[in-house]
Amino acid sequence: MTLAAALHVSHAASLAPPAPSPAAAQVVRVQPSASQVPANLLRLSIEFATRIEGPVLPRIALLHPDGQPLAQPFLEQELWSPSGRILTVLLHPGRVKTGLNAREALGPILVEGDDVTLTLDDRPIQHWRVGPVDTHGPVASAWRLSPVHAASRQPLVVTLDDPIDGRDADYLAVADWRGRRVNGRALLKDGESIWTFTPRSPWRAGEYRLVVRGTLEDPAGNRLNGRFETPTDMPAIAATDATLAFTSAP
């Protein structure tokens, strides 16, 4: 190669654009969305405005108030929705559940009284106060259902006993007296502690049932009929659906 050619190559290389950095991601919401999470929080989800390309785990962190990151808080697995817009991240189960090697070696991830901030590309996207450990799980019999009136599309409002997982809005459904699912829109509100359902067509006078899938979980992984924190030698409890009856009054 001649000196001129070498200089041309060197000059071209110096003008080459830098390696692209990950595109800025617009976050729609983070769940849990409440200001407080249990110390045994198991999962969180991040919803983006558009489909995200490439791994996101290396771009997120949990920080102490002094800006120091929590060591190894996440399981190295990205769980994406079919749309490619919602990422579910598990906090390392081996450090959430007591008595396991990872927890003994590294300690729990969150401690009651802590303040932590979730960041994406070094930008804060959610802040939580860490509350007590939650080992109870959802209790459907303790939920309160608002009245609804026939001939209206008034939302059914279900006040839950505790927040549920943000990805479980469709784990509750409304059935009519014949057992057929009622079409409508379900939403979780107020830190995932209130579930609302707006029917597509007006309510008819008569009986309905709120059906709750047995695999419904809270943010700590406690199911409707089971707990995440159970001895490893205890037989698994089969998931059982729950039903709550209500009436659409004239």
Side-chain angles (χ1 to χ4, degrees):
M1 178 183 296
T2 66
L3 177 59
L7 289 174
H8 176 75
V9 170
S10 175
H11 180 67
S14 67
L15 296 180
S21 58
Q26 182 180 350
V27 175
V28 174
R29 61 178 170 177
V30 176
Q31 294 174 311
S33 62
S35 61
Q36 180 170 297
V37 293
N40 57 336
L41 177 70
L42 181 63
R43 64 170 66 87
L44 59 90
S45 62
I46 307 171
E47 182 177 351
F48 298 95
T50 58
R51 188 180 186 92
I52 300 297
E53 302 295 338
V56 172
L57 266 178
R59 301 165 60 182
I60 66 174
L62 279 174
L63 305 183
H64 289 296
D66 62 3
Q68 292 300 310
L70 279 68
Q72 304 176 38
F74 304 123
L75 188 68
E76 292 296 323
Q77 182 180 20
E78 297 189 359
L79 305 173
W80 286 96
S81 66
S83 68
R85 293 177 49 241
I86 302 174
L87 170 65
T88 296
V89 178
L90 294 178
L91 277 71
H92 200 298
R95 295 181 62 191
V96 174
K97 191 169 185 177
T98 58
L100 299 182
N101 291 338
R103 186 181 177 101
E104 296 299 323
L106 300 173
I109 300 168
L110 303 177
V111 177
E112 182 178 355
D114 281 351
D115 285 287
V116 294
T117 299
L118 179 69
T119 64
L120 171 68
D121 298 333
D122 299 321
R123 294 179 293 106
I125 57 174
Q126 184 72 27
H127 175 82
W128 292 297
R129 178 75 172 175
V130 180
V133 168
D134 181 3
T135 60
H136 299 293
V139 180
S141 60
W143 297 355
R144 301 194 310 272
L145 280 63
S146 69
V148 294
H149 295 90
S152 77
R153 295 182 61 244
Q154 179 182 10
L156 171 70
V157 180
V158 182
T159 303
L160 312 175
D161 60 314
D162 270 319
I164 63 173
D165 186 84
R167 307 303 309 141
D168 286 1
D170 291 331
Y171 281 36
L172 293 84
V174 174
D176 63 18
W177 64 274
R178 290 169 291 189
R180 298 191 306 186
R181 183 166 186 163
V182 178
N183 291 324
R185 186 185 185 197
L187 292 173
L188 281 169
K189 301 168 54 179
D190 294 359
E192 297 75 61
S193 64
I194 291 180
W195 184 84
T196 67
F197 176 80
T198 304
R200 183 175 301 172
S201 301
W203 298 103
R204 295 184 179 183
E207 296 183 354
Y208 289 87
R209 289 182 301 141
L210 175 66
V211 182
V212 188
R213 191 183 301 178
T215 51
L216 177 83
E217 294 187 355
D218 65 14
N222 302 303
R223 285 191 174 184
L224 186 66
N225 300 294
R227 299 179 179 181
F228 179 74
E229 188 69 44
T230 54
T232 55
D233 57 352
M234 178 178 288
I237 300 175
T240 306
D241 295 349
T243 59
L244 299 171
F246 67 97
T247 301
S248 174

